[in-house]
Amino acid sequence: MSFLSSIFKSRDKPKDRIGRGWTYLGGSSASGKAVNEETAMQLTAVYACVRILSEAVAGLPLHLYRYTDKGKEKATDHPLYMLLHDEPNPEMSSFIFRETLMTHLLLWGNAYAQIIRNGRGDVIWLYPLMPDKMRVDRDANGRLFYEYTRSQDDPPTVKSNTVRLSPYDVLHVPGLGFDGLVGYSPIAMARNAIGMGLSCDEYGAKFFANGAYPGGVLEHPGTVKDPDRLRSNWQTMFGGSGNAGKIAVLEEGMKFTPISISPEQAQFLEMRKFQIDEIARIFRVPPHMVGDLEKSSFSNIEQQSLEFVKYTLDPWVTRWEQSMQRALFTPEEKKSYFFKFNLEGLLRGDYQSRMNGYAIGRQNGWMSANDIRALENLDRIPAEQGGDLYLVNGNMMPLSEAGSAYRDHSDGKEENRE
């Protein structure tokens, strides 16, 4: 065994339960409900959080940039620009591709795409791969590989039933994980919270479907010969919204006792509200974005939206950017090119706040008119008309030049005296 082989062999292998989205205890939760990626999406709070995050990442402008002497510029002439910005493969738009992979990332903790290259090694297509069919491991020499089990739903680029791919052929975006190579499923980690939500949904649905909860009880001191006829007559006279408010006249000592909702059932309604917050907490989505406006107001909802961009979306897009940088560029290209999601549009705030910020930047000389117009998606002002000029107020000067005008004025008076 060589020295390098012994070094790589000693490294830990990714655990199968993480790499393949294994759900703990076979997917069983403490509530008794089976929890996996498909059943979890039947919970409306999970569906809403996954949809919000996947559509947000898919809808962000994604551009490829190159470094220049003056800073950076869009590399629209690079083949990867069109691939990620417009069409990753002949069957998908960029929005659908990123939405699909982000959904995989949120449910399984990993997103995979097969990289198709031409004879020169250039990337020409990207196809999503299902995370639950992927196994990540190391060979005897410690080299990482991806083993994928093909099904009928997979793209035609995967030929055999089981194919082994190298990291060179896979775009892998991992979520939070133990070993830094593969992420673990948020659904598996939160199976009890999700299972409780599914149980609450099932309980509520059966409660209303069975209709076994009586609205009240008719008591008769004697024996009722035909209880079905009595119940039918009562329902005809006083049942339904059309008979609301009617006064009932009871004979033969009969008594009506209404039945109210028990404390256990009232607690069930509170539990359903709590489950919304619990699921939103798992995905770090503000509750108002999944329809819970109880703790939101006009004064704080904008701040919550900005925090969503900063603390929720930004970490996800950083994972995307660095994973694409690592997998799609050659070592030489990594020195000159980089991907960037544009979050500026989500952080701009209201119109008045933006205008105040632009005014400060314009008056202090670090923004030109064209810099501002570019952020507002407006056409540029020609350079000869001053669109690229950086201006400052005349009453501001470097500290080292403070008093220079006074000195110049004094020197002129002394010369006049002479």
Side-chain angles (χ1 to χ4, degrees):
M1 180 184 298
S2 66
F3 175 71
L4 291 177
S5 298
S6 64
I7 292 178
F8 284 111
K9 191 174 182 180
S10 64
R11 298 186 62 178
D12 290 337
K13 294 182 179 181
K15 303 298 188 294
D16 186 60
R17 68 176 182 273
I18 303 170
R20 301 190 68 176
W22 182 73
T23 50
Y24 301 99
L25 302 178
S28 177
S29 63
S31 65
K33 299 296 294 182
V35 177
N36 55 44
E37 290 75 14
E38 293 183 0
T39 59
M41 286 290 281
Q42 297 175 11
L43 192 61
T44 56
V46 173
Y47 183 90
C49 290
V50 171
R51 181 179 179 182
I52 288 167
L53 287 171
S54 60
E55 289 181 348
V57 172
L60 289 173
L62 173 59
H63 299 290
L64 173 61
Y65 293 92
R66 67 164 61 91
Y67 294 107
T68 65
D69 296 337
K70 297 182 180 179
K72 65 179 182 181
E73 65 179 8
K74 292 180 182 178
T76 55
D77 56 340
H78 195 288
L80 284 176
Y81 186 94
M82 186 279 295
L83 199 70
L84 272 303
H85 186 269
D86 299 310
E87 188 177 287
N89 61 67
E91 301 172 353
M92 293 181 175
S93 64
S94 177
F95 183 96
I96 298 300
F97 175 80
R98 284 184 277 156
E99 182 185 47
T100 301
L101 260 64
M102 190 62 193
T103 302
H104 293 173
L105 188 54
L106 293 167
L107 294 177
W108 281 276
N110 295 277
Y112 303 96
Q114 186 182 8
I115 303 173
I116 309 300
R117 302 177 186 268
N118 59 18
R120 299 191 304 270
D122 300 327
V123 181
I124 57 175
W125 302 120
L126 294 170
Y127 283 93
L129 298 174
M130 289 300 298
D132 58 336
K133 300 173 186 176
M134 182 72 76
R135 185 173 72 91
V136 184
D137 210 335
R138 295 186 184 275
D139 60 19
N141 296 320
R143 290 187 294 266
L144 197 68
F145 69 86
Y146 296 82
E147 189 173 83
Y148 189 75
T149 303
R150 183 178 181 271
S151 68
Q152 296 179 351
D153 298 330
D154 291 312
T157 53
V158 182
K159 300 298 182 183
S160 60
N161 290 331
T162 301
V163 61
R164 178 171 291 193
L165 303 169
S166 70
Y168 180 75
D169 299 318
V170 177
L171 168 61
H172 178 198
V173 185
L176 179 66
F178 292 111
D179 55 12
L181 294 176
V182 289
Y184 49 79
S185 169
I187 303 302
M189 300 304 295
R191 70 187 189 282
N192 285 332
I194 296 173
M196 184 181 297
L198 292 171
S199 297
C200 288
D201 278 357
E202 183 180 17
Y203 176 84
K206 288 184 177 180
F207 175 79
F208 290 105
N210 294 334
Y213 188 82
V217 177
L218 276 174
E219 300 181 42
H220 193 282
T223 302
V224 179
K225 296 181 180 179
D226 193 351
D228 290 338
R229 183 177 64 84
L230 178 61
R231 182 188 304 109
S232 177
N233 290 339
W234 181 271
Q235 184 65 28
T236 301
M237 291 295 297
F238 305 107
S241 59
N243 296 321
K246 279 189 175 182
I247 298 176
V249 178
L250 302 179
E251 300 176 349
E252 300 179 357
M254 285 194 302
K255 182 174 65 173
F256 177 77
T257 304
I259 299 178
S260 59
I261 297 178
S262 66
E264 291 79 9
Q265 288 154 350
Q267 188 67 28
F268 159 73
L269 300 177
E270 293 295 326
M271 185 179 298
R272 282 182 58 85
K273 291 179 61 178
F274 172 75
Q275 285 307 116
I276 295 177
D277 292 338
E278 190 78 352
I279 301 303
R281 186 180 300 117
I282 295 169
F283 293 98
R284 203 189 294 173
V285 172
H288 77 269
M289 299 188 73
V290 293
D292 183 6
L293 299 175
E294 183 177 359
K295 298 180 181 179
S296 299
S297 64
F298 288 108
S299 60
N300 68 8
I301 199 166
E302 181 181 354
Q303 185 61 36
Q304 290 184 49
S305 299
L306 295 177
E307 290 179 355
F308 168 72
V309 176
K310 183 176 181 180
Y311 297 113
T312 303
L313 277 186
D314 193 49
W316 284 118
V317 301
T318 300
R319 292 179 187 272
W320 273 83
E321 290 167 354
Q322 295 184 358
S323 296
M324 292 187 295
Q325 180 92 3
R326 179 186 55 82
L328 302 181
F329 289 139
T330 64
E332 190 64 27
E333 287 178 329
K334 291 178 182 179
K335 302 176 183 178
S336 305
Y337 294 92
F338 65 95
F339 288 102
K340 191 67 177 177
F341 285 90
N342 185 5
L343 293 170
E344 295 297 328
L346 299 178
L347 292 170
R348 290 189 303 175
D350 61 274
Y351 184 81
Q352 182 178 357
S353 299
R354 297 201 313 272
M355 295 304 108
N356 291 337
Y358 294 152
I360 294 173
R362 179 74 163 145
Q363 293 168 9
N364 287 278
W366 53 272
M367 294 189 78
S368 67
N370 283 335
D371 294 336
I372 297 172
R373 295 178 69 86
L375 293 175
E376 292 293 319
N377 292 320
L378 299 174
D379 294 336
R380 293 175 59 87
I381 298 174
E384 56 271 17
Q385 297 182 17
D388 294 326
L389 291 178
Y390 293 88
L391 308 175
V392 294
N393 290 324
N395 61 345
M396 299 183 68
M397 64 182 64
L399 183 62
S400 60
E401 297 183 9
S404 59
Y406 176 77
R407 289 196 302 269
D408 294 341
H409 184 67
S410 299
D411 293 341
K413 286 183 177 181
E414 293 176 359
E415 291 176 359
N416 292 336
R417 291 194 189 105
E418 295 176 356

